[in-house]
Amino acid sequence: MLLPLFRAAVRDISVTGKRRISTTTTAAIQQGFGKITKFASRHYGHKHPETEFDSDSDSRNHHQREKGKSEFWLRKMRTFHGVIDVNKDGIVSYDDFLILAKRFVTLGHLSENQEREFQEILKEVWEKQWGAPDCYNLVKTEQYLENMQHVLSDPSLKRKVHNFLPYLFKAVDRDKDGVISVEEFKLFFECLGLEEKDAVHSFTTIDINKDGCLSLEEFVKLGQEFFLTEDQHKPSKVFWGPLINP
């Protein structure tokens, strides 16, 4: 494409060895360099697809590292820490776990096998997240926040987050009809040490389809979503009661 332009330039070189390029040839050469520039820009001026992918990947990785940093999510985690801090001393111990478990078991709606499984799962949750279940292992709020931030960044932990939820559901489903009514949800809040009026508000908010009950699937999904989402508009934000003040 550009060869004829350079041949024209050669023809315009005088026999004396002096270069005498005509105006026409100069314009042609300039036009040729213009085409070269456009060609190079078109083929080399853009990022290589792999480079673009790497850039996007870095952006995604950076976003993942930022999970659990929003003030809204931190507020939710502080709220839950306060719920499981039964004696309200600012520290969660394994004893707090046992007291909560006993409240649900005492309702008498779990079978012996379910009671045993419930206790084992709570112990497993404690050991995986905080270590030995002894009186010296105390979890302060900031430690709990750090732990849950780690859960957000680990897909395997996210899938298992608070897998004791089905047992809470079965414990308060006193008529064993497979759904929880607002009255049974009040029982759930009572075991958590929360007020009845807050139970009504939370139930009304999380009963998304407004059918007046929560299935096991809905209950577990909402309970897990509380820990995993940073979307302020999700109804699950009140699953464990009203959020603490910022």
Side-chain angles (χ1 to χ4, degrees):
M1 176 183 67
L2 300 177
L3 184 60
L5 299 175
F6 289 104
R7 285 175 177 170
V10 172
R11 286 197 301 270
D12 276 350
I13 298 177
S14 65
V15 293
T16 59
K18 294 181 180 179
R19 293 179 181 178
R20 182 173 50 79
I21 302 175
S22 67
T23 303
T24 302
T25 303
T26 301
I29 292 174
Q30 290 175 341
Q31 180 183 6
F33 279 117
K35 292 181 178 181
I36 292 174
T37 302
K38 290 180 180 180
F39 178 84
S41 174
R42 184 169 60 252
H43 290 276
Y44 303 105
H46 299 289
K47 294 181 180 179
H48 192 278
E50 292 182 1
T51 303
E52 289 184 331
F53 176 80
D54 290 341
S55 175
D56 290 343
S57 177
D58 289 343
S59 176
R60 286 194 296 269
N61 290 337
H62 175 73
H63 177 69
Q64 289 177 352
R65 287 194 296 270
E66 291 303 308
K67 285 184 177 179
K69 297 295 185 179
S70 69
E71 184 53 42
F72 170 70
W73 184 85
L74 293 172
R75 185 182 173 195
K76 288 199 298 179
M77 296 308 103
R78 292 190 184 100
T79 297
F80 184 74
H81 183 271
V83 170
I84 60 177
D85 175 18
V86 177
N87 61 5
K88 308 304 177 187
D89 61 353
I91 297 174
V92 172
S93 67
Y94 188 60
D95 284 342
D96 288 316
F97 257 40
L98 294 179
I99 293 172
L100 280 175
K102 185 177 180 180
R103 289 177 181 174
F104 284 96
V105 169
T106 303
L107 295 175
H109 304 144
L110 295 176
S111 67
E112 290 185 7
N113 286 337
Q114 289 172 340
E115 287 182 22
R116 185 174 62 255
E117 291 172 357
F118 184 34
Q119 299 280 3
E120 290 174 352
I121 285 180
L122 287 180
K123 183 179 180 181
E124 180 183 356
V125 168
W126 181 273
E127 290 177 336
K128 285 188 175 181
Q129 295 190 0
W130 300 300
D134 56 48
C135 60
Y136 302 104
N137 195 354
L138 306 175
V139 183
K140 296 182 179 180
T141 305
E142 293 308 313
Q143 181 182 349
Y144 178 73
L145 297 180
E146 290 177 7
N147 176 267
M148 290 306 298
Q149 287 168 341
H150 177 62
V151 169
L152 285 184
S153 63
D154 188 324
S156 64
L157 292 178
K158 286 174 67 174
R159 287 192 294 270
K160 298 177 181 178
V161 65
H162 296 281
N163 53 3
F164 56 80
L165 284 164
Y167 296 93
L168 303 185
F169 178 94
K170 293 172 183 177
V172 297
D173 181 20
R174 57 188 173 191
D175 58 6
K176 301 186 184 302
D177 64 349
V179 294
I180 289 179
S181 65
V182 65
E183 293 302 318
E184 290 169 325
F185 198 77
K186 290 178 184 178
L187 194 58
F188 172 57
F189 265 40
E190 180 182 334
C191 291
L192 296 176
L194 300 174
E195 296 184 17
E196 183 177 299
K197 64 180 181 61
D198 292 327
V200 175
H201 171 72
S202 291
F203 184 88
T204 303
T205 302
I206 64 178
D207 180 20
I208 301 173
N209 59 8
K210 304 304 178 186
D211 62 352
C213 61
L214 295 174
S215 66
L216 173 60
E217 181 181 358
E218 290 173 321
F219 184 88
V220 171
K221 179 182 178 181
L222 289 161
Q224 291 178 331
E225 188 179 76
F226 174 92
F227 300 100
L228 302 180
T229 184
E230 300 191 53
D231 186 348
Q232 300 185 45
H233 303 292
K234 293 288 187 180
S236 59
K237 63 186 177 182
V238 295
F239 183 89
W240 299 97
L243 299 183
I244 62 173
N245 293 326

